[in-house]
Amino acid sequence: MLAFSALVAGSFSLGGQIANEIAPAALNAVRFALSAAVVGAVIWARGGGIATLTGALSAPWRYGLLGVLFAIYFVTMFEGLKTAPPVSAAAVFTLTPVMSGIFGYLLLRQLFGARIMVALGLGAMGALWVIFRADIAALMAFEIGRGEVIFFWGCIAHAAYTPLVRVLNRGEPILVFTFWTLSFSTVIIGVWGWRDLVATDWGALRPLVWITLLYVAIAASAMTVFLVQFASMRLPSSKVMAYTYLTPSWVLIWELGLGQPMPPMAVLGGIALTFVALGLLLKE
């Protein structure tokens, strides 16, 4: 999950650079197709074949459900990044541990004690501080940007996805389960956004769009889907998503690496609060 948070952060920073140059549905349909191909190639290289994949196709509606949730998350992410700064969008993402904990209780009856509740509360406070740009007046008036609102709905889908992996997995190997989740996501987004796919002038896209597409397909999809499914089978939902509290910090590093200015010091205070929450969540 530490690797997950670092890889996810890159998609915020790179996505923010190209969000207005390509339709989110078109970008994500291609990225999921590439991701499924990469995971399929890994399965094949490890000795798995058609029988390995088809053997996990019982009750395919499971992958469809996970695919819908994943599609909602990633499309709303890139739609939100059209107007939301990457650090702010990453802060919205850090609200998922709270929501994931709720879904974990509803679906798996996973309970958490007072320390976990305090940690989730601190993390949410830190996230809100960043989302509202450390502006007390904006916080009191609940003036939140359109991009952040759009992405928030995607984060709800992602929060539900985490415990559902454990609920829906019937003993399938994680790589195979990942392959079918990505494949169904490709079909769902492709059908929904086929007009954007056809309308996109792929040959006119600048190199950074293609770099971002390859990054989100391999690093921020194929790898992260496997990592979160691997962790979801072994950790409580709230602890799995606790590592999202590191995402704004990773985004800051990415942003500085891409030549963007440092956010105001007051905003950094909210990120520091998420570190405190992370420490409490991971404490045994």
Side-chain angles (χ1 to χ4, degrees), residues 146-173:
R146 177 177 179 272
E148 287 87 344
V149 172
I150 291 173
F151 185 44
F152 175 74
W153 291 105
C155 289
I156 294 177
H158 196 290
Y161 169 90
T162 305
L164 273 174
V165 167
R166 184 178 291 191
V167 172
L168 299 179
N169 186 280
R170 298 181 179 178
E172 295 89 354

Side-chain angles (χ1 to χ4, degrees), residues 39-89:
V39 174
V42 172
I43 294 171
W44 191 273
R46 291 175 56 135
I50 299 299
T52 301
L53 295 176
T54 56
L57 262 183
S58 62
W61 62 267
R62 298 176 294 153
Y63 306 111
L65 176 56
L66 294 176
V68 167
L69 294 175
F70 238 40
I72 292 172
Y73 168 73
F74 280 107
V75 170
T76 58
M77 173 185 174
F78 281 89
E79 187 66 36
L81 282 169
K82 289 182 178 180
T83 56
V87 173
S88 183

Side-chain angles (χ1 to χ4, degrees), residues 26-140:
L27 174 71
N28 283 287
V30 175
R31 72 93 69 91
F32 276 120
L34 289 173
S35 301
V38 169
V39 174
V42 172
I43 294 171
W44 191 273
R46 291 175 56 135
I50 299 299
T52 301
L53 295 176
T54 56
L57 262 183
S58 62
W61 62 267
R62 298 176 294 153
Y63 306 111
L65 176 56
L66 294 176
V68 167
L69 294 175
F70 238 40
I72 292 172
Y73 168 73
F74 280 107
V75 170
T76 58
M77 173 185 174
F78 281 89
E79 187 66 36
L81 282 169
K82 289 182 178 180
T83 56
V87 173
S88 183
V92 175
F93 186 54
T94 61
L95 294 174
T96 53
V98 177
M99 297 184 288
S100 187
I102 294 172
F103 281 113
Y105 171 74
L106 294 175
L107 297 172
L108 297 169
R109 287 298 183 262
Q110 292 176 340
L111 299 173
F112 38 81
R115 175 175 54 80
I116 300 297
M117 293 179 66
V118 169
L120 293 175
L122 287 174
M125 288 171 57
L128 290 172
W129 189 248
V130 176
I131 293 167
F132 288 102
R133 282 95 165 155
D135 187 337
I136 296 293
L139 178 62
M140 296 302 293

Side-chain angles (χ1 to χ4, degrees), residues 187-236:
V187 173
I188 290 165
I189 297 181
V191 171
W192 179 66
W194 68 270
R195 288 189 179 87
D196 291 331
L197 274 168
V198 173
T200 299
D201 186 354
W202 297 97
L205 298 174
R206 63 182 176 128
L208 183 59
V209 177
W210 288 103
I211 292 172
T212 302
L213 178 57
L214 289 174
Y215 179 86
V216 297
I218 298 172
S221 290
M223 294 175 66
T224 58
V225 171
F226 172 78
L227 291 170
V228 76
Q229 290 189 349
F230 183 90
S232 296
M233 296 300 293
R234 291 160 174 80
L235 297 172

Side-chain angles (χ1 to χ4, degrees), residues 1-2 4-5 93-98 100-101 116 119-120 123 162 228 235-248 274-283:
M1 289 309 297
L2 180 62
F4 167 86
S5 65
F93 186 54
T94 61
L95 294 174
T96 53
V98 177
S100 187
I116 300 297
L120 293 175
T162 305
V228 76
L235 297 172
S237 298
S238 58
K239 183 168 284 192
V240 169
M241 299 313 296
Y243 284 90
T244 62
Y245 287 142
L246 290 176
T247 304
T274 63
F275 268 95
V276 176
L278 175 67
L280 288 173
L281 282 171
L282 298 182
K283 183 180 178 182

